[in-house]
């Protein structure tokens, strides 16, 4: 009695249905009616690279976003493959992500390729005074300040990314070695560190990343800045091999190496982190990932003995900034949701929650909350106020960093010749940028 | 009349079908070959003559990318490192593989288990092998350092010194790929005719004489094939270096595969990277052709 021809799924009905759907979609597109930007609910697919600095966001903020009605899909990849993966996704228009959590030096590449949405046009106010100024500046392409690469001299700066999690270098040190508080100068790091070694409290005064390329340059950069170095002039001529730069490189490959583990040439952030958390190092300069573990006895042998401070100075105490920064690809399947999520996430209220969860926020008001979730947060604000600079805003930074990193690594192996390494690197960088049409 | 015309028509149609049928049957396969083999090769070649630069339209630069390669110190260094790596690794693998194959040719208790154990490194994923070797080589907590410190020595520096890192990479490759050499050569040895060996034994020839006058000459074609296969494969080594050293320290282990990867994906110079890989492809092709000609000469002699 229940046999009904209506309910039968035949090949004819499937073909007819499919054809109808295809025709309807084509008609809508042809008529210029916008296709809905939203998928079911408020879905947002976030692509991120694996990093300890995102742990509070994952653990505390994503559940709150879900309560606010967002359906977050969080996709993580290893750092080394994310740039190529996302750049290919954005250029091909594959539309696999709604939001990329980029490393900030990648912003120029994505900006120059014109594959990210204008978030200002989406209603995100880059002029809001609550942003940390140096952080929001990193989201513009071309940059609002400083030199611009050829082809973008006259372009209007557009906000293509917004700061997502603040991150910058600070000093982590052993408070039983540096008993008078954070060491103020590099000389103090070495001198007091040696006393700590002699007293059997630590094995090495300082530990840093020595691997070729990005790693070694990242470690050397705050030393370089604190010695008063500048990387490029306003015409993109390399000036990092100035007297100040050379002094910093000589100090780095000489004095610092002599007071670090013998295998520091092959050290990356995992070995650097292990050295401070394992109790071997007196001081390191690092981004927030390992610092967030400093009070957790399950992750460090020296819980309670690690404190944070502003990076040491020679002339000034300037750190390198390297924030997580979010961009919405033009091919995002849920573009409107992504922009709405960013507005919610960067609101003063959510940023305060991020601060409570233990991550460095990107809005100044969130630094001032009563109970920040991590001791690093007020120190990060001190560092921001003392001085923190992003890497030069050029899409060719990766190549520049590679050329410099190889030369610095070779000098580090030798334990001397930092100044000569900078001369070699400056020549190579100049040649490369000449070929690339910078001058 | 009408039926005669019709018959001729049918015969003609039949003949046409006979002519077209092989092509129709070949068409799907041909389409697949064109789609998955010829088109990507063509696209790669086309990409190698273009400059892809952010924010600018793609431009044709002819052979400029190829010309620039030969004045690129980083490329030349990576090519030299690759040649050294391939030559050293493949030579050691050939000698060790041959020795192991000769040893495992004998029949004794446990030989089957031994043959199986010997090929295990080859079937492990290269990335896993690299991670294991990193745990052995790392100067801070690696196994070699732990052993050295237990014996009263200091930290062992493998990955932080150029020569050590290069040798460490060769050791890894030899450990992983000697089994392939062993497998090919063992199959070759097992297929040799028995009569000449029996005759040599009857004549009282010693082991070395048998090896030098019989085994090695008869195995030369198989050995050449094994060496060619491994050489082609070794030119493409990537995963192990990517995990273990990323090309460092300095540029000591920066193979062309790593430099090409960086150029394409880190530096976003896709056209230049395509030219680099086409060049390496041609080098490998030339090696393969030379080896094939060599094999023919050996066969003829």
């Amino acid at each position: 009695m229940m046999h009904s021809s209506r309910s039968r799924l035949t090949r004819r009905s499937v073909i007819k249905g499919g054809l109808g759907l295809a025709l309807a979609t084509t008609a809508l597109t042809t008529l210029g009616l916008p296709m809905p930007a939203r998928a079911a609910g408020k879905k947002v697919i976030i692509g991120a690279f694996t990093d300890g600095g995102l742990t509070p966001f994952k653990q505390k903020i994503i559940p709150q976003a879900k309560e606010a009605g967002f359906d977050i899909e969080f996709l993580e990849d290893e750092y080394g493959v994310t740039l190529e993966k996302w750049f290919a996704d954005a250029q091909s228009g594959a539309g696999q992500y709604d939001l990329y959590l980029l490393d900030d030096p990648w912003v120029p590449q994505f900006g120059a390729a014109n594959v990210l949405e204008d978030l200002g046009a989406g209603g995100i106010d880059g002029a809001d005074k609550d942003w940390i100024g140096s952080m929001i500046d990193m989201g513009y392409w071309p940059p609002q300040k400083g030199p611009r690469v050829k082809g973008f001299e006259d372009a209007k700066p557009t906000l293509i990314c917004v700061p997502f999690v603040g991150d910058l270098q600070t000093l982590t040190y052993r408070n039983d070695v540096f008993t008078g508080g954070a060491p103020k100068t590099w000389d103090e790091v070495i001198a007091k560190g040696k006393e700590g070694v002699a007293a059997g409290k630590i094995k090495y005064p300082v530990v840093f990343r020595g691997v070729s390329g990005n790693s070694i340059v990242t470690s050397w950069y705050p030393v370089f800045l604190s010695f008063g170095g500048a990387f490029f002039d306003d015409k993109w001529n390399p000036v990092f091999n100035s007297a100040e730069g050379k002094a910093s490189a000589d100090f780095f490959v000489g004095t610092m190496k002599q007071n670090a583990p013998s295998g520091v040439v092959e050290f990356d952030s995992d070995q650097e982190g292990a050295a401070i958390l394992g109790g071997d190092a007196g001081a390191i300069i690092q981004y927030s990932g390992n610092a967030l573990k400093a009070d957790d006895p399950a992750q460090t042998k020296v819980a309670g003995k690690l404190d944070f401070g502003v990076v040491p100075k020679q002339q000034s105490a300037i750190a390198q900034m390297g924030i997580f920064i979010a961009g919405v690809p033009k091919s995002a399947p849920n573009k409107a949701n992504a922009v709405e999520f960013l507005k919610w996430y960067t609101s003063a209220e959510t940023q305060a929650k991020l601060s409570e969860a233990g991550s460095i926020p990107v809005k100044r008001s969130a630094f001032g909350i009563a109970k920040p979730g991590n001791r690093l947060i007020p120190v990060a604000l001190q560092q921001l106020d003392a001085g923190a600079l992003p890497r030069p805003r050029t899409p060719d930074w990766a190549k520049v960093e590679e050329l410099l990193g190889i030369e610095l690594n070779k000098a580090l192996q030798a334990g001397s010749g930092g100044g000569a390494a900078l001369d070699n690197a400056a020549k190579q960088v100049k040649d490369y940028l000449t070929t690339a049409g910078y001058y | 009349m009408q039926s005669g015309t019709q018959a001729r028509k049918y015969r003609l149609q039949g003949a046409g079908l006979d002519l077209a049928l092989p092509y129709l049957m070949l068409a799907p396969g041909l389409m697949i070959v064109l789609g998955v083999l010829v088109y990507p090769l063509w696209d790669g070649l086309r990409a190698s003559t273009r400059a892809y630069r952010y924010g600018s339209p793609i431009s044709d630069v002819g052979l400029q990318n190829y010309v620039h390669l030969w004045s690129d110190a980083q490329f030349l260094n990576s090519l030299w490192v690759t040649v050294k790596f391939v030559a050293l690794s493949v030579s050691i693998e050939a000698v060790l593989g041959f020795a192991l194959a000769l040893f495992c040719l004998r029949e004794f208790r446990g030989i089957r288990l031994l043959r199986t154990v010997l090929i295990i490194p080859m079937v492990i994923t290269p990335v896993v092998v690299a991670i294991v070797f990193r745990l052995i080589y790392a100067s801070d907590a690696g196994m070699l350092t732990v052993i050295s410190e237990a014996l009263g020595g200091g930290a062992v520096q493998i990955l932080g010194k150029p020569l050590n890192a290069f040798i460490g990479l060769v050791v890894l490759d030899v450990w992983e790929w000697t089994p392939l050499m062993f497998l090919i050569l063992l199959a070759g040895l097992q297929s040799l005719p028995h009569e000449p060996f029996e005759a040599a034994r009857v004549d009282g020839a010693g082991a070395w004489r048998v090896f030098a006058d019989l085994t090695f000459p008869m195995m030369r074609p198989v050995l050449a094939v094994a060496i060619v296969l491994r050489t082609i494969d070794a030119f493409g080594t990537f995963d192990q270096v990517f995990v273990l050293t990323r090309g460092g320290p300095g540029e000591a282990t920066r193979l062309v595969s790593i430099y090409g990867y960086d150029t394409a994906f880190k530096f976003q110079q896709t056209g230049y990277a395509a030219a680099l890989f086409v060049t390496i492809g041609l080098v490998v092709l030339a090696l393969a052709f030379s080896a094939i000609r060599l094999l023919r000469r050996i066969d003829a002699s």
Side-chain angles (χ1 to χ4, degrees), chain A residues 156-205:
Chain A
K156 182 175 174 284
T158 305
L159 186 69
I160 54 165
C161 287
V162 291
F164 198 81
V165 170
D167 209 358
L168 75 169
Q169 294 172 324
T170 51
L171 182 81
T172 303
Y173 66 94
R174 283 282 293 271
N175 54 27
D176 57 337
V177 173
F178 301 94
T179 47
K184 297 284 183 291
T185 63
W186 284 107
D187 292 338
E188 194 183 337
V189 170
I190 302 299
K192 287 262 181 73
K194 280 180 175 172
E195 288 172 21
V197 174
K201 292 175 181 171
I202 51 173
K203 286 186 182 173
Y204 316 104

Side-chain angles (χ1 to χ4, degrees), chain A residues 80 83-84 87 109 112 212 262-263 265-267 271 395-396 398-399 402-403 406 409-410 413 432 436 438, chain B residues 53-55 74 134 138-140 155 157-160 162 246 249-251 254 259 261-262 265-269:
Chain A
L83 171 62
E84 71 195 63
F87 204 69
Q109 281 184 31
S212 260
S262 57
V265 173
E266 63 174 271
F267 274 30
Q271 287 95 343
D396 291 296
K399 181 73 182 184
E402 185 75 13
L403 293 169
I406 287 170
N409 178 267
K410 286 177 181 171
Q413 287 168 40
Y432 173 74
Y438 273 57
Chain B
R53 186 123 184 99
Y54 51 83
Q74 288 191 300
R134 187 161 183 85
S139 70
D140 56 339
Q157 307 290 337
I158 302 287
L159 302 176
R246 292 270 170 126
E251 298 175 279
R254 202 181 202 195
Y259 182 57
Y261 167 84
D262 285 347
F265 300 114
K266 233 161 93 178
F267 314 144
Q268 303 294 337
Q269 296 175 304

Side-chain angles (χ1 to χ4, degrees), chain A residues 119-156:
Chain A
L119 298 174
I124 295 180
D125 180 10
D128 180 356
K129 297 287 178 213
D130 200 18
W131 288 112
I132 296 289
S134 49
M135 289 185 187
I136 190 71
D137 281 348
M138 291 153 93
Y140 282 90
W141 181 260
Q144 303 198 97
K145 300 169 196 162
R148 292 183 183 181
V149 297
K150 276 218 165 137
F152 296 93
E153 296 95 332
D154 304 319
K156 182 175 174 284

Side-chain angles (χ1 to χ4, degrees), chain A residues 21-40:
Chain A
L21 189 66
L23 283 171
T25 313
T26 313
L28 276 172
T29 314
T30 315
L31 290 169
L33 297 176
M35 293 297 288
R38 285 182 179 198

